[in-house]
């Protein structure tokens, strides 16, 4: 069972979700001559000149990424922005297409065992590094083993050592490198043995943590300096990083020696770093950038000028109430149910958040893939909805069981001290006062202080936000396993743990999904968390850019059919 998922990556994603605003929503964003509706169906839009023609350089598009990437060394990568940039500069065994499905990249083909525990990868023989060396199976072996060494300090090492056979024992110094489930058969054949059935293994192999690394360049540049500047990295992907003015911009230029260069249609991509939302929108409207995220009233401003410039997608963020199961009141299941069911989330979304986010009907959002053609959530069905009548019944039962009156309950709602979180908290506080007759105190703290308090169990109810690291329901469900370091509420149910463990060992995708659905239903039956809403991202794109892809797992992608429209 994958149980040590680091907080770093999840929390970086959550920062991106905190200020998100959107209108209509769909499962992914493809910026071409279409808009998307609530069901994700594309509706044709007549192609015509709009109010935002875009930047003037004919061979360059300018995308705003808002901030400097944290780490451009694929062995140490930890943030979503860097991952998207690296996905343009690097090629791995697989890549994600515009629908977040893994497809072959450097792999010519692969053989997967019937039980999904063994993959044999056959690599293309015409790929090379920007230093002229061929890309071989040894490059993958070096990168993966280096990440799994604890001295490396790789933030995402658990994505490898918890999945590769004997990886955890190797990470903990209990197994030799020769015992790892990675074998180089020859220069272009790599064998992977997983520690458990990996029905989503190809998706993992498309992520930057599984990219190769040129050992010669890594050792010559040095781990401490690798990826710190444009001239301190060697790449093998569609683009080369040719310029990096820190905290200002980066320049990606198409690499003509890329094995698939003929499919790359945009010669240059400039990545601007504009932190202020108003400055960013002004840069977009004046033709200095071709892409920017937009928020709240900015959406209406852009819509008034050119509605077809606006695009939006469900970004995978899920917000919910976190309960401290060791609290004297919250240990009672009925009081947790009363608190969760008594919040009119749609009213919260309409009147407070007002950004088009979707009321949550469970923990796992709609955009997560399922075992078949349906999404996981569609196969699962709705597990939760606002229900004031039953909330009051649960409250009566709780008071009887605890032998107290509503006025005796003393609880805090512990939130980060941003206006976004405090506005939500104030609404929820009032809902509980009006609907249940209980007074809950809002305790707003700086993020670091709040995080430390939760790690120490010093909280009552929190407003939590998580995002997906993999395209599977497990990435959300595992947070509530008894031994997960992120399970700060200390929820513990042996049956829930068993279901997750069985799902982790299940090689049949359909059976694995059914076990995860059972686990999520149990989580909601126990009301270990109180669903609130699923978030989305809204952004504006100039007429210059066509085919740009943005999804929960791809901050941006110009390698899958994106092009520049002729003026």
């Amino acid at each position: 069972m994958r149980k040590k998922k680091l907080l770093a990556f999840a929390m970086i994603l959550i920062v991106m979700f905190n200020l998100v605003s959107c209108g209509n929503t769909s499962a992914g964003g493809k910026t071409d001559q279409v808009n998307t509706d609530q069901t994700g169906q594309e509706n044709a839009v007549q192609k015509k000149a709009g109010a935002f023609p875009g930047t003037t350089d004919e061979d360059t598009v300018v995308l705003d990424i808002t901030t400097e990437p944290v780490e451009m060394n694929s062995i140490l990568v930890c943030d979503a922005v860097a991952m998207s940039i690296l996905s343009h500069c690097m090629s791995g065994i697989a890549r994600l297409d515009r629908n977040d499905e893994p497809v072959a990249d450097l792999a010519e083909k692969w053989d997967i065992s019937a039980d999904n525990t063994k993959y044999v990868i056959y690599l293309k023989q015409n790929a090379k590094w920007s230093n002229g060396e061929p890309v071989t199976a040894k490059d993958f072996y070096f990168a993966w083993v280096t990440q799994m060494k604890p001295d490396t300090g790789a933030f995402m090492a658990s994505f490898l050592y918890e999945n590769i056979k004997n990886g955890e024992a190797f990470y903990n110094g209990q197994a030799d490198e020769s015992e790892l489930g990675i074998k180089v058969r020859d220069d272009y054949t790599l064998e992977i043995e997983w520690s458990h059935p990996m029905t989503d293994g190809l998706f993992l192999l498309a992520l930057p943590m599984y990219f190769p690394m040129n050992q010669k360049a890594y050792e010559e540049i040095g781990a401490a300096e690798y990826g710190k500047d444009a001239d301190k990295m060697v790449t093998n992907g569609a683009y080369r990083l040719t310029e990096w003015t820190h905290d200002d911009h980066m320049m990606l230029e198409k690499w003509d020696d890329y094995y698939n260069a003929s499919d790359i249609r945009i010669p240059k991509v400039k990545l601007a770093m504009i932190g202020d939302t108003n400055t960013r929108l002004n840069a977009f409207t004046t033709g200095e950038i071709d892409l920017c995220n937009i928020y709240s009233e900015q959406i209406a401003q852009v819509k008034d000028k050119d509605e077809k410039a606006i695009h939006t997608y469900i970004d995978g963020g899920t917000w919910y109430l976190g309960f401290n199961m060791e609290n004297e009141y919250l240990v009672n299941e009925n009081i947790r149910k009363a608190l969760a069911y008594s919040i009119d989330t749609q009213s919260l979304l309409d009147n407070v958040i007002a950004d088009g986010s979707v009321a949550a009907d469970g923990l796992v959002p709609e955009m997560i893939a399922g075992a078949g053609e349906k999404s996981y959530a569609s196969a699962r069905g709705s597990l939760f909805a606002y229900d004031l009548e039953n909330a009051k019944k649960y409250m009566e039962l709780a008071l009887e069981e605890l032998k107290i009156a509503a006025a005796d309950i003393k609880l805090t709602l512990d939130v980060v001290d941003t206006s976004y979180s405090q506005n939500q908290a104030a609404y929820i506080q009032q809902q509980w006062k009006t609907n249940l007759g209980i007074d809950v105190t809002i305790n707003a703290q700086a993020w670091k202080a709040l995080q430390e308090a939760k790690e120490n169990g010093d909280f009552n109810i929190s407003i939590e936000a998580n995002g997906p690291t993999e395209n599977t329901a497990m990435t959300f469900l595992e947070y509530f396993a008894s031994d997960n370091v992120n399970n700060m509420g200390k929820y513990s149910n042996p049956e829930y743990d068993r279901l997750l463990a069985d799902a982790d060992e299940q090689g049949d995708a359909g059976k694995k999904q059914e076990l995860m659905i059972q686990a999520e239903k149990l989580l909601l039956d126990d009301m270990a968390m109180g669903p609130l809403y699923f978030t989305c991202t809204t952004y504006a794109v100039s007429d210059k850019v066509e085919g740009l892809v943005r999804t929960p797992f791809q901050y941006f992608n110009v390698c899958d059919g994106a092009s520049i429209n002729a003026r």
Side-chain angles (χ1 to χ4, degrees), residues 381-431:
S382 177
L383 301 181
F384 181 85
Y386 168 61
D387 188 342
L388 182 55
E389 182 178 352
N390 274 322
K392 291 180 176 180
K393 291 179 181 178
Y394 287 127
M395 190 64 184
E396 291 176 4
L397 289 172
L399 295 177
E400 290 177 9
E401 291 165 354
L402 294 170
K403 296 180 173 54
I404 58 173
D408 297 326
I409 297 175
K410 306 298 180 186
L411 288 169
T412 58
L413 180 56
D414 303 276
V415 299
V416 68
D417 60 353
T418 64
S419 58
Y420 186 83
S421 291
Q422 291 185 80
N423 288 342
Q424 293 181 70
Y427 175 88
I428 293 170
Q429 177 191 49
Q430 186 58 46
Q431 287 275 288

Side-chain angles (χ1 to χ4, degrees), residues 479-493:
Y479 271 78
F480 296 90
S482 298
D483 58 358
N484 191 293
V485 295
N486 300 316
N487 181 9
M488 298 178 192
K490 306 302 181 186
Y491 170 68
S492 183
N493 185 323

Side-chain angles (χ1 to χ4, degrees), residues 31 33 51-55 61-62 284 287 289-292 306 308-309 311 540-546 565 567:
T31 306
Q33 297 304 315
F52 307 107
T55 53
V61 297
V62 184
F284 177 75
I289 59 176
D290 295 298
L291 164 75
C292 73
D306 187 357
K308 69 181 178 62
H311 301 264
V541 182
S542 75
D543 296 334
K544 181 178 181 178
V545 183
E546 185 167 356
N565 282 319
R567 288 181 178 273

Side-chain angles (χ1 to χ4, degrees), residues 238-305:
Y239 288 88
R240 291 190 65 186
L241 177 59
T242 59
E243 182 181 337
W244 186 354
T245 301
H246 290 280
D247 297 309
D248 185 79
H249 73 275
M250 306 170 89
M251 181 66 78
L252 306 181
E253 295 190 29
K254 178 181 174 179
W255 186 39
D256 290 335
D257 287 337
Y258 173 55
Y259 82 90
N260 198 29
S262 60
D263 283 355
I264 305 303
R265 303 175 186 175
I266 298 179
K268 297 179 183 179
V269 181
K270 183 177 180 180
L271 304 176
M273 305 169 193
I274 306 174
D276 181 74
T277 57
N278 293 323
T279 302
R280 189 183 310 143
L281 181 58
N282 183 63
F284 177 75
T285 57
T286 56
E288 297 173 50
I289 59 176
D290 295 298
L291 164 75
C292 73
N293 286 0
I294 51 178
Y295 311 94
S296 304
E297 69 277 359
Q298 293 180 337
I299 298 172
Q301 293 173 26
V302 174
K303 186 176 181 180
D304 287 344
K305 294 182 179 180

